[in-house]
Amino acid sequence: LVDGAEAGRTCLEQGGRAGVISGPEWDRSASRGALVDEARWRQHRELVGEKILLSQVDGVNAVFLKVINEDEGRIRTDVVRLIKDGLIKQSGLDWEGVLADLNPGTVVVDALPQQAAALETLYRSRFSILTGGAGTGKTTVLRAFVAGLRKLEPNHPVLLLAPTGKASVLLEARVGLEAETVHRFLARLSWMRLNNFSLLRSGGERESNARTIIIDESSMLDVTLLAATLRAINFDYVCLLYTSPSPRD
């Protein structure tokens, strides 16, 4: 269970878990008997039915926390919807020129074509993930992306979000626009109870003013927090960009 949690998993295949549990006094037959089957589920449904969901995953009975399962479904639905919207028309911008203007005298010429291509992809996509380790140019591309948006539309509304206060300060300094934490964003739109900082699942307002939302260090958001953030966004108007150090996060 610890290994699964550290790997970010929310669903574990039962048979596999039983096989790795070991100990001098452990009875393997007991582990097999502990697996959830339909009869055992019916027996305990009244006790755990409101919180637990039993579902088939690749032909295997799997147990989920209902709220996590719902949140994962919400994330999947929103992301798939944005991807299916396809690409908008080309920007017509000289992204290499935008990069050069932002970094006079420090441009890595060999990286310009690749960075320019990435920027055009970001512009044309309603949902994007910008990844790369330290020193690979994520900040440069992000700054150029916002500069390009403002060049096409001087008053283009951009919302910058980050998971922590420190990350929001760094993002603000790098991009040159005001940034706020995800928690402050959710509280502002009434998706968070201020007395105990718990998240609401309905009833809040939806962000419709920003046309582009950038969530920096998005790998730091857990499933529940990310789902709450998506609930607070009106995707009829908004494009979404995540930044993360690794595509696996």
Side-chain angles (χ1 to χ4, degrees):
L1 292 176
V2 171
D3 291 344
E6 290 177 346
R9 297 173 184 166
T10 56
C11 169
L12 296 177
E13 190 274 317
Q14 298 175 64
R17 297 314 96 198
V20 299
I21 297 173
S22 61
E25 71 289 345
W26 187 259
D27 182 355
R28 292 301 180 96
S29 62
S31 71
R32 289 190 292 273
L35 301 183
V36 177
D37 55 27
E38 291 295 334
R40 194 177 297 274
W41 173 249
R42 287 193 297 270
Q43 179 183 357
H44 297 288
R45 181 178 297 170
E46 291 185 4
L47 296 176
V48 299
E50 292 185 2
K51 302 291 184 181
I52 301 296
L53 172 70
L54 180 65
S55 180
Q56 285 271 326
V57 178
D58 295 331
V60 176
N61 281 345
V63 179
F64 298 88
L65 286 174
K66 273 189 177 180
V67 291
I68 298 296
N69 183 260
E70 291 170 2
D71 287 344
E72 289 180 338
R74 176 61 189 248
I75 295 169
R76 179 172 57 252
T77 297
D78 285 339
V79 169
V80 169
R81 172 191 169 187
L82 293 174
I83 292 173
K84 284 186 175 180
D85 282 346
L87 302 176
I88 65 173
K89 66 180 181 180
Q90 295 181 352
S91 67
L93 267 182
D94 175 15
W95 289 108
E96 291 192 21
V98 174
L99 287 161
D101 290 342
L102 283 177
N103 306 280
T106 61
V107 173
V108 180
V109 177
D110 292 343
L112 278 179
Q114 187 175 2
Q115 290 178 333
L119 285 162
E120 182 66 14
T121 299
L122 295 180
Y123 174 81
R124 299 186 65 195
S125 307
R126 294 205 63 207
F127 172 80
S128 302
I129 301 176
L130 179 63
T131 69
T136 56
K138 292 195 305 296
T139 298
T140 298
V141 170
L142 196 58
R143 289 176 60 228
F145 180 60
V146 173
L149 292 177
R150 291 295 178 88
K151 191 170 184 177
L152 289 169
E153 184 184 343
N155 295 319
H156 185 98
V158 178
L159 175 62
L160 303 180
L161 299 176
T164 67
K166 182 177 181 180
S168 68
V169 171
L170 291 173
L171 179 63
E172 188 171 314
R174 290 166 178 167
V175 178
L177 296 176
E178 183 178 355
E180 63 181 333
T181 64
V182 170
H183 294 83
R184 181 181 176 186
F185 167 72
L186 294 173
R188 175 166 59 82
L189 295 177
S190 301
W191 288 95
M192 176 180 287
R193 297 182 183 92
L194 295 180
N195 61 332
N196 59 9
F197 302 106
S198 61
L199 299 173
L200 298 172
R201 304 184 70 79
S202 62
E205 301 175 30
R206 301 178 74 197
E207 175 62 48
S208 299
N209 295 322
R211 292 272 306 284
T212 300
I213 297 179
I214 298 171
I215 305 179
D216 195 26
E217 300 291 348
S218 59
S219 61
M220 295 178 66
L221 303 182
D222 62 18
V223 169
T224 301
L225 190 56
L226 178 55
T229 303
L230 297 183
R231 289 188 184 96
I233 297 173
N234 187 341
F235 286 111
D236 290 337
Y237 305 99
V238 173
C239 296
L240 190 63
L241 168 62
Y242 291 158
T243 71
S244 172
S246 170
R248 295 174 296 176
D249 292 333

